[in-house]
């Protein structure tokens, strides 16, 4: 008498009911997608000497602009291997070469706060439909690649579409911290509030030019220079605040 094991019958018998096959497939699919969703690749440590900042936002001062307004700078976002991606010229996203010098300030983000949905029912955020419509990703690097491809078709403009726009796009694609409202202002706030200086020289490099300009202006022009510099900073902040929260289609994010 020949005994046919149930497992062998399930594998070879073409007449196994379709529903049984589908249930097995669903279990396997759920298992594989849950691995994608929950297993995160371990990160290396931050290596500022080699400009490697895994899953970080990095900031550096801009020439001339940061001398007049120190809160204005250039920002990038780093892959899991620490390479920096930043948007500094039209139709191009720079990879592993920060456009305006070494990073002066950084903030490391937590991938556990990102939403990597394998499908529509796999969202861990509360904004599934909005997130899917915006564009999702299954890994951190996948989100950065998608945003980079998007910004390869955009024109750079310091006032409407800049490095902060690119970073905000990445964070929205990640639905970082459960939010789809990342923009230029919130990116700046995140770096200022939670950022760390790379070293003491970074602090000097960020504020010394501004202090020199301020002193020279006071010596050569006097108090009117200080009033003009303050007015310039207020106008800049007003532009970005109005463009972000009042005229929402004006600034890219």
């Amino acid at each position: 008498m020949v005994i046919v094991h149930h497992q062998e019958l399930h594998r070879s018998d073409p007449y196994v009911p379709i529903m049984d096959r589908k249930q097995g497939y669903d279990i396997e699919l759920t298992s594989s997608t849950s691995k994608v969703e929950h297993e995160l690749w371990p990160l290396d440590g931050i290596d500022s000497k080699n400009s490697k900042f895994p899953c970080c936002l990095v900031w550096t001062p801009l020439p001339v602009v940061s001398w007049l307004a120190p809160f204005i700078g250039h920002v990038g976002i780093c892959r899991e291997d620490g390479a920096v991606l930043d948007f500094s010229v039209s139709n191009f996203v720079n990879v592993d070469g920060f456009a305006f010098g070494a990073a002066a300030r950084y903030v490391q983000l937590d991938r556990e706060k990102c939403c990597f949905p394998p499908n529509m029912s796999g969202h861990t955020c509360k904004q599934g439909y909005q997130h899917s419509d915006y564009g999702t990703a299954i890994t951190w690097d996948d989100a950065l690649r998608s945003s980079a491809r998007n910004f390869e078709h955009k024109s750079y403009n310091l006032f409407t579409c800049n490095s902060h726009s690119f970073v905000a796009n990445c964070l929205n694609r990640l639905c970082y911290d459960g939010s789809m409202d990342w923009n230029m202002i919130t990116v700046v706030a995140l770096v200022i509030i939670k950022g760390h200086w790379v070293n003491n020289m970074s602090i000097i490099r960020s504020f010394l030019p501004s202090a020199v300009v301020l002193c020279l202006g006071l010596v050569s022009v006097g108090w009117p220079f200080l009033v003009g510099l303050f007015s310039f900073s207020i106008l800049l902040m007003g532009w970005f605040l109005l463009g972000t929260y009042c005229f929402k289609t004006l600034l890219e994010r």
Side-chain angles (χ1 to χ4, degrees):
M1 182 174 64
V2 179
I3 298 175
V4 181
H5 293 287
H6 175 70
Q7 184 177 6
E8 294 176 350
L9 176 63
H10 181 77
R11 290 180 179 175
S12 59
D13 190 353
Y15 298 102
V16 173
I18 294 177
M19 288 301 296
D20 290 348
R21 297 182 191 177
K22 185 178 185 302
Q23 288 175 358
Y25 172 76
D26 288 343
I27 293 172
E28 183 180 355
L29 179 62
T30 302
S31 175
S32 63
T33 54
S34 64
K35 291 179 181 178
V36 172
E37 181 179 356
H38 297 293
E39 291 184 6
L40 297 175
W41 189 265
L43 300 177
D44 293 331
I46 292 173
D47 183 4
S48 59
K49 291 183 179 179
N50 294 312
S51 300
K52 298 298 182 183
F53 299 86
C55 294
C56 288
L57 303 188
V58 290
W59 179 93
T60 194
L62 281 169
V64 182
V65 178
S66 295
W67 303 351
L68 303 176
F71 57 89
I72 298 292
H74 183 71
V75 69
I77 188 168
C78 301
R79 296 185 316 210
E80 291 175 309
D81 64 359
V84 184
L85 278 71
D86 65 298
F87 180 63
S88 58
V89 294
S90 297
N91 307 316
F92 181 75
V93 174
N94 194 34
V95 179
D96 205 16
F98 213 16
F100 296 98
R105 198 170 173 86
Y106 71 92
V107 53
Q108 190 164 38
L109 304 182
D110 185 0
R111 290 175 297 170
E112 294 286 351
K113 294 184 178 181
C114 301
C115 178
F116 301 122
N119 48 53
M120 274 297 296
S121 61
H123 283 270
T124 57
C125 64
K126 297 180 180 179
Q127 312 187 50
Y129 288 107
Q130 183 183 357
H131 190 194
S132 296
D133 185 60
Y134 191 92
T136 62
I138 58 173
T139 65
W140 177 277
D141 286 354
D142 181 43
L144 270 57
R145 280 192 297 268
S146 297
S147 292
R149 285 194 296 267
N150 184 26
F151 272 73
E152 286 173 355
H153 305 284
K154 294 186 181 296
S155 298
Y156 181 89
N157 186 301
L158 180 63
F159 298 102
T160 59
C161 184
N162 55 35
S163 61
H164 295 74
S165 306
F166 171 66
V167 171
N169 187 279
C170 292
L171 295 180
N172 284 325
R173 200 174 296 275
L174 291 164
C175 198
Y176 185 73
D177 207 15
S179 175
M180 291 289 300
D181 295 320
W182 291 99
N183 52 54
M184 294 185 189
I185 302 299
T186 53
V187 169
V188 170
L190 180 62
V191 173
I192 291 176
I193 296 172
K194 295 189 176 182
H196 304 278
W197 294 105
V198 173
N199 49 41
N200 292 331
M201 184 57 64
S202 299
I203 302 175
I204 296 172
R205 182 163 58 89
S206 299
F207 293 108
L208 181 60
S210 181
V212 170
V213 169
L214 179 61
C215 292
L216 290 176
L218 286 174
V219 170
S220 59
V221 180
W223 288 106
F225 176 81
L226 185 61
V227 173
L229 192 61
F230 180 75
S231 299
F232 173 73
S233 298
I234 292 296
L235 285 173
L236 271 181
M237 288 189 292
W239 166 262
F240 289 116
L241 285 170
L242 287 173
T244 299
Y245 297 108
C246 296
F247 306 100
K248 296 185 177 181
T249 59
L250 186 62
L251 304 185
E252 186 68 40
R253 71 180 180 92

